[in-house]
Amino acid sequence: MQLRDFFSTDTVDLALKTETKDETLRALVRLFHLDEKSESILFKMLKRRETLGSTGIGRGIAIPHCRSLVVNRLRVAFGRHAAGLDFKAIDEKPVHYVFLIVAPPLEVSNQYLPVLGKIAQFSKEADVPDRLAGLESPKEFLQLLEEKGV
Amino acid sequence: MHEQLETLLEMQDLHMQRRALEEGDVREFESGVFDMSVEEALAALDDKISELEHRLTGDVQERYRRVIGRRHRAVVPVLGGVCYGCFVAVPTSWASEADPNDKMNVCQNCGRFHYYPP
Ligand SMILES: [Zn+2]
């Protein structure tokens, strides 16, 4: 299983124009093209997870995540925000890179935690923040994941 | 979507997060990678669940309490015409309706609330 296989170019937004953490979560959820109610439930759950402790793991990276009944398979998205967002991150620094991951309550192949783990592992690599900053297209994002081989 | 169904779905998601946090892997992950205080998180989830439970009205609240006491989940999806709580086929009289989630549907066999995923 490679991280690259879970992402596609249409769930990558390298130019988020949002002002707040909430708006950012909404913008990323919208990339999944769910119906309005499902979007709103998913947003609530992600927000709830954030109130239990920020998913900003430092170095400008956040990984909001939750399980929810409204998705029927594991979904991931990536967003980049040039100015940076207040995510109440562990290191209190602004967040520029947001990986969103959602999964249904039960999955056949149970990929949720392994995928979360891989994103966390990817995020810890020394050059990753700079590489993410330099991306010019969603395709380059996928190439970076491939190159890192996570 | 019926407002009470929406509340039930939210409660179910919270129950699920709660159960997940009690599992070793998730607990370890959330406290290790994300520095979460798991005990505080569990208490916060309990508060929210009981707040939502009070938002349920009359029959729905009564059924919810009855079903959740006896079974693990109060809301189950219907997939391919089958109740995913008891795996019994659901009569498809709603098939012509716009969105079956606009009203409260209940399994005639196991008593759980039904949710039709998009
Ligand atoms: Zn049933």
Side-chain angles (χ1 to χ4, degrees), chain A residues 35 37-38 40-41 44-45 48-49 52 54-55 57 63 65-70 90 105 113 116-117, chain B residues 1 6 9-10 12-14 16-17 21 25-26 29-30 33-36 41 44-45 48 115 118:
Chain A
D35 64 285
K37 280 290 178 191
S38 300
S40 125
I41 291 174
K44 267 190 206 165
M45 297 314 298
R48 166 87 21 216
R49 170 59 192 82
L52 303 177
S54 175
T55 60
I57 57 167
I63 315 174
H65 58 277
C66 72
R67 284 193 189 268
S68 176
L69 279 166
V70 302
I90 289 170
L113 275 188
L116 253 176
Chain B
M1 189 186 291
E6 203 180 339
L9 285 173
E10 198 182 340
Q12 182 118 319
D13 272 342
L14 292 169
M16 186 174 68
Q17 289 198 0
L21 271 182
D25 313 2
V26 178
F29 205 92
E30 292 287 11
V33 178
F34 296 105
D35 212 19
M36 182 198 270
L45 287 170
K48 186 67 192 175
Y115 166 62

Side-chain angles (χ1 to χ4, degrees), chain B residues 76 83-88 90 107-112 114:
Chain B
V76 288
C83 168
Y84 266 57
C86 63
F87 297 95
V88 164
V90 177
C107 182
Q108 299 303 316
N109 184 54
C110 68
R112 293 179 177 94
H114 277 163

